[in-house]
Amino acid sequence: MQDVTDAVSARSGPGRPPAELLRRLRARHACDPVTHVERVPARAGEPAPWPAWAPEELRAAFARRGVVAPWRHQAEAAELAYAGQHVVVATGTASGKSLAYQLPALATLLADPRATVLYLAPTKALAADQLRAVADLQLDGVRPACYDGDTPRAERKWIRQHSRFVLTNPDMLHHGILPGHAQWSGFLRRLAYVVVDECHTYRGVFGSHVAHVLRRLRRQCAKYGRTPGQALAGSHSTPGQVLAGSHSTPGFVLASATSGDPAAAAGRLTGLPVAAVTEDTSPRGGVTFALWEPPLLPSDTSATSASAADLAPVRRSALRETADLLADSVVEGVRTLAFVRSRRGAEVVAANARRALDEAVPGLGARVAAYRAGYLREERRELERALLHGDLLGLASTNALELGVDLVGLDAVLICGWPGTRASLWQQAGRAGRSGDEALAVLVARDDPLDTYLVHHPEALFGRPVEATVLDPANPYVLAPQLACAAFEAPLTPADLELFGEGAKEAVDSLVEAGALRQRPTGWYWRHRERPEVDLRGEDGAPVCVVEASTGRLLGTVDGGSSHFLLHPGAVYLHQGVSYVVDSLDLADGCALVHAEEPDWSTHARDVTSLSVVSVRSYVDAGPVGLFLGEVDVTSQVVSYQRRRIATGEVIDTRPLDLPVRELRTVAVWFTLSPESLALAGVEPADVPGALHAAEHAAIGLLPLMATCDRWDIGGLSTAVHPDTEAPTVFVYDGHPGGAGFAERAYGTAAAWLGATRDAIAECGCESGCPSCVQSPKCGNGNNPLSKPDAVRVLDVVLANLAAATGPRGERGTALPRQDNRSSERSVTEGRAAETA
């Protein structure tokens, strides 16, 4: 094995040129799977002089790390931050955003021995990476330290009292630092800068929660000597003029991937005016970017059932295709990172790649591993070490490694399935390339409407601006719990309500009415001894521990919101390439017992959904078509699961489950059609359910093209006659309490969204519908009924009438006044198909 390892290591020096590697990968297929190749040219860097206020000690430390001068965008952002402005630097991957905030923050720490800095990262891996970077500078008196859930309790007191550069995450700030603010009073009193890294990840419900955590942080800074909202102390005449105890808010320095309108997004996140630096002046190596569509399976393999859905053509799994590409790249001596959308998918890709490599060269499979959330701390750290030191040649990872961790030495990135946004796509692609060298990125399409659309419409990916970050701090399901947390930390005052923004007074009134707060002349007080339990990530419950029944060994964790789908009795659970079958799931105790087993089948949970309209916010009257935005109540339950053959996808059987019902009040967009308009379009009454169901699936699949969401962030339901609308209706709703902004985005871009949906269905080469157009991997009704041609007719009716009512671009102008619709307790039980988030 050592000989094999040495041989591959010798071959993995500079790796093959991207064009040559891509040619060899394509040659392994009888039919060319590449639909498009985009060449992103190399770019020269534009350096700038060091700022005059940067101390020589800091310049020398950066020089030891190989940084002889900053790039212009780094210097510009650092100057703004040091001059007292809140700033966001939104540039590409590997553009050196870290220097943009390290420069003003560390200069201030060196100039003022009392100042402190707080760094926030969305993942522990990124915080650990930044800790290494700051510690390597070896600056006296800075004493950087990570403070998160993995920090031993024996070290926490020392960090609170002595560290001046604390690296943590929003969860720890929310659960640990702010509730214990008295212990952090000295640190908060002297806080000069708050660094918010990878701030584009704070979107949806998570981003809305983090926005209020930052407001709570500003509030505590004011309590200990800083006034939230007050501008920083003007331009610095001397280094470090933001002195400890000065009555100004800490300076916020945010780093983001390139995104639409980063200044506005950063302003919503922090509640402060933020200047944006967006021109990337760093050097960049060229990237060869290929769009890859796996081939169709032979008809005798794909036909596994008598149903029309199962007889549809099926493409080779993107997971298997990615695993083969990962194995082929490792054999070629190319260090490769494969991004996979799910934890289970990362395990499958790594396991299949290891198996293929060991068959080709025994022992080579040990150079490939999986990386995902849910691993124990020791496992994560060992994998990060092996990756950084080159012990691993191939890694299959979830987006846990998408963010700014310094992955030195990677030559190629495989992206298994559309990652949800163009921002994520370029973040992941940017992980490859070392010191300006050429790199290869491959997007492997899943058998999914959006993926299929994108690989055949490269103009939707390349040369287009990235999406704006969507978050809604006014979401009452976020605002009220966050105000409860703030009241626990210190009584709320009228001035605090202004800090928390729109809807704060109404949320406080609701908390008083519910008995959570008590109003007194001096403010609103938390009434309970225990602090509020609020999950920032909206994962619907505490994590469920996965325990091996025979040994009691803790394998990992799964968030509560996914446990019904991933850990139901009989489910197959993967951990580091080893298969386990779930024996029991105890939701009350948060524990699933499993045993090791290698079945030749996989499991797929199925659920049923009902929906009732609560209220209508705004609508468009387009004659026989209506477009609506409003609140809905969604009730769902996982009722069964299928076992399918791994080799062929054949359905073995369907087994019942008895799991609790889940209820969700959220925001939805929906459209209605009159039966007469459908009849005129040629849709027979018997085909209406299948037409609406197919249109719903495709609309859900294409919404991530318009909004910063993932297919799994949203759900939908269609019905031939809905009791609340009394018409054929298609709903698409946010899969988070109170909504996450995705339905609003869909409503605002309805013409473009539904137009792309219509094109994706019409342009698909299948006859009756397939996963590339109208079938869904998470349909609660087993993709039945579906009618592909009638879905096109339905969308033609909707688009034609919307265009007549709103203009060719779908502009709606001023929304109509909000109108409350009748609340309905009835469930949709007949003539409907459902898809849940």
Side-chain angles (χ1 to χ4, degrees):
M1 176 176 173
Q2 187 60 48
D3 292 341
V4 171
T5 302
D6 292 342
V8 175
S9 296
R11 295 175 60 192
S12 60
R16 292 187 180 276
E20 172 64 13
L21 175 60
L22 181 61
R23 185 191 67 78
R24 295 175 71 91
L25 294 176
R26 296 168 79 170
R28 289 168 164 79
H29 290 262
C31 298
D32 189 359
V34 174
T35 62
H36 179 80
V37 176
E38 186 79 9
R39 171 66 184 164
V40 181
R43 178 185 62 213
E46 186 178 339
W50 289 105
W53 43 261
E56 183 58 37
E57 178 185 357
L58 184 57
R59 300 185 196 187
F62 281 123
R64 289 194 298 270
R65 206 166 68 182
V67 180
V68 295
W71 305 116
R72 182 167 56 81
H73 70 275
Q74 295 172 324
E76 181 182 346
E79 290 278 15
L80 288 170
Y82 200 76
Q85 293 192 51
H86 309 291
V87 61
V88 56
V89 52
T91 52
T93 307
S95 60
K97 292 185 285 289
S98 297
L99 182 67
Y101 54 74
Q102 288 174 1
L103 188 54
L106 294 174
T108 298
L109 294 185
L110 292 174
D112 175 12
R114 298 170 294 170
T116 59
V117 171
L118 182 67
Y119 168 93
L120 299 174
T123 65
K124 293 177 183 178
L126 179 54
D129 184 75
Q130 286 298 299
L131 174 63
R132 286 190 291 267
V134 175
D136 286 348
L137 293 173
Q138 300 178 355
L139 299 172
D140 291 338
V142 173
R143 299 187 292 275
C146 272
Y147 191 90
D148 57 32
D150 292 339
T151 304
R153 294 199 173 273
E155 298 178 14
R156 296 188 179 190
K157 182 178 180 180
W158 184 93
I159 293 173
R160 289 194 298 267
Q161 295 179 347
H162 300 290
S163 177
R164 299 175 60 222
F165 196 118
V166 173
L167 302 98
T168 187
N169 51 65
D171 307 85
M172 194 62 175
L173 180 61
H174 164 65
H175 288 293
I177 295 176
L178 290 176
H181 56 83
Q183 296 177 304
W184 288 87
S185 59
F187 183 90
L188 296 174
R189 183 178 297 111
R190 305 189 303 271
L191 189 58
Y193 288 103
V194 177
V195 177
V196 185
D197 205 356
E198 304 291 0
C199 65
H200 65 283
T201 62
Y202 301 124
R203 61 178 179 83
V205 170
F206 180 41
S208 303
H209 273 294
V210 172
H212 288 298
V213 172
L214 295 180
R215 286 158 176 77
R216 286 162 50 200
L217 172 63
R218 292 171 53 204
R219 181 171 177 253
Q220 291 305 322
C221 289
K223 174 180 178 180
Y224 293 110
R226 296 188 181 275
T227 303
Q230 183 176 332
L232 286 172
S235 181
H236 293 276
S237 57
T238 60
Q241 190 171 328
V242 180
L243 297 177
S246 65
H247 291 279
S248 59
T249 189
F252 278 80
V253 186
L254 303 97
S256 170
T258 47
S259 64
D261 201 358
R268 284 194 302 271
L269 187 63
T270 61
L272 295 164
V274 179
V277 175
T278 58
E279 185 182 358
D280 190 340
T281 59
S282 64
R284 181 186 65 193
V287 178
T288 299
F289 206 130
L291 304 183
W292 187 289
E293 186 174 41
L296 290 169
L297 293 173
S299 57
D300 59 341
T301 302
S302 60
T304 60
S305 170
S307 71
D310 286 330
L311 287 172
V314 176
R315 292 196 176 275
R316 192 166 188 263
S317 162
L319 293 176
R320 287 182 171 271
E321 195 79 352
T322 303
D324 285 354
L325 289 171
L326 179 60
D328 290 342
S329 298
V330 169
V331 168
E332 294 289 341
V334 176
R335 292 187 180 181
T336 306
L337 176 63
F339 281 108
V340 190
R341 294 162 55 88
S342 68
R343 298 180 181 186
R344 179 186 181 129
E347 296 280 4
V348 168
V349 167
N352 286 345
R354 283 195 294 261
R355 187 178 302 113
L357 287 167
D358 283 334
E359 290 175 356
V361 183
L364 188 54
R367 304 294 296 277
V368 174
Y371 184 101
R372 61 173 175 81
Y375 283 175
L376 302 181
R377 174 178 181 265
E378 295 76 16
E379 290 178 298
R380 295 197 309 269
R381 295 295 176 264
E382 175 59 26
L383 287 169
E384 292 163 14
R385 185 206 64 77
L387 182 64
L388 289 171
H389 289 80
D391 297 335
L392 292 174
L393 279 178
L395 193 69
S397 171
T398 60
N399 63 357
L401 288 179
E402 172 184 323
L403 305 179
V405 178
D406 187 14
L407 304 180
V408 177
L410 292 176
D411 300 298
V413 164
L414 308 173
I415 303 170
C416 182
W418 169 245
T421 65
R422 282 183 288 271
S424 289
L425 181 77
W426 289 108
Q427 278 287 104
Q428 293 180 4
R431 294 292 92 197
R434 59 177 97 156
S435 304
D437 287 349
E438 296 283 319
L440 173 67
V442 180
L443 173 62
V444 182
R446 294 170 302 151
D447 212 356
D448 170 271
L450 180 53
D451 287 41
T452 303
Y453 179 87
L454 290 173
V455 295
H456 290 284
H457 292 80
E459 70 279 2
L461 290 178
F462 304 109
R464 293 279 301 276
V466 297
E467 307 85 352
T469 303
V470 176
L471 67 149
D472 180 16
N475 181 343
Y477 288 84
V478 172
L479 181 54
Q482 286 294 329
L483 285 168
C485 293
F488 170 81
E489 292 157 8
L492 292 167
T493 66
D496 293 330
L497 301 190
E498 183 178 348
L499 172 66
F500 284 95
E502 178 187 352
K505 182 60 170 66
E506 293 80 0
V508 164
D509 291 342
S510 69
L511 290 169
V512 171
E513 183 179 351
L517 297 182
R518 177 183 288 113
Q519 186 172 8
R520 291 288 183 263
T522 53
W524 292 270
Y525 289 73
W526 179 247
R527 298 187 60 180
H528 307 290
R529 300 185 65 178
E530 302 81 12
R531 71 186 186 195
E533 291 295 329
V534 178
D535 182 1
L536 296 189
R537 298 177 187 265
E539 291 177 340
D540 193 18
V544 176
C545 297
V546 183
V547 178
E548 189 173 25
S550 60
T551 64
R553 180 168 65 102
L554 176 64
L555 298 176
T557 60
V558 170
D559 65 85
S562 301
S563 60
H564 290 220
F565 293 90
L566 301 180
L567 295 177
H568 59 76
V572 176
Y573 174 81
L574 293 176
H575 182 84
Q576 281 289 20
V578 179
S579 294
Y580 298 84
V581 174
V582 178
D583 299 317
S584 64
L585 171 62
D586 189 330
L587 292 170
D589 290 340
C591 180
L593 297 179
V594 303
H595 69 271
E597 184 178 340
E598 293 285 344
D600 63 350
W601 39 264
S602 59
T603 53
H604 305 265
R606 303 179 67 181
D607 56 4
V608 296
T609 298
S610 62
L611 181 151
S612 60
V613 176
V614 176
S615 64
V616 174
R617 291 184 181 178
S618 60
Y619 66 89
V620 175
D621 185 351
V625 170
L627 180 69
F628 299 83
L629 177 73
E631 286 81 25
V632 297
D633 282 336
V634 181
T635 302
S636 63
Q637 182 181 22
V638 175
V639 296
S640 63
Y641 69 97
Q642 288 182 338
R643 296 193 305 159
R644 301 178 189 172
R645 298 284 182 199
I646 293 176
T648 65
E650 176 188 0
V651 176
I652 301 172
D653 57 20
T654 300
R655 300 190 173 190
L657 291 169
D658 183 18
L659 292 172
V661 173
R662 293 183 165 184
E663 297 180 350
L664 171 72
R665 176 162 291 187
T666 187
V667 178
V669 58
W670 65 94
F671 61 82
T672 61
L673 306 94
S674 70
E676 294 78 12
S677 67
L678 291 175
L680 287 173
V683 182
E684 297 295 331
D687 296 327
V688 169
L692 298 176
H693 191 194
E696 171 217 332
H697 279 184
I700 289 173
L702 268 294
L703 182 54
L705 190 63
M706 306 295 164
T708 52
C709 67
D710 182 86
R711 181 175 194 138
W712 302 90
D713 289 328
I714 50 181
L717 182 144
S718 57
T719 174
V721 181
H722 190 277
D724 291 337
T725 65
E726 300 178 351
T729 310
V730 171
F731 294 89
V732 175
Y733 57 84
D734 292 356
H736 300 277
F742 308 138
E744 285 92 337
R745 179 67 176 165
Y747 181 78
T749 61
W753 166 43
L754 296 177
T757 301
R758 187 259 180 215
D759 292 345
I761 301 173
E763 293 172 4
C764 183
C766 70
E767 294 183 5
S768 58
C770 69
S772 295
C773 56
V774 298
Q775 290 186 16
S776 168
K778 59 183 189 132
C779 179
N781 284 49
N783 287 300
N784 187 46
L786 291 175
S787 176
K788 174 186 174 179
D790 287 321
V792 175
R793 297 185 182 102
V794 164
L795 291 169
D796 283 340
V797 172
V798 174
L799 291 167
N801 285 279
L802 283 180
T806 63
R809 291 182 297 169
E811 296 173 348
R812 263 174 283 287
T814 304
L816 295 175
R818 175 174 177 151
Q819 300 182 4
D820 287 335
N821 200 350
R822 64 186 183 279
S823 178
S824 172
E825 297 299 326
R826 293 172 290 178
S827 295
V828 184
T829 56
E830 296 181 357
R832 73 105 174 100
E835 179 171 0
T836 58

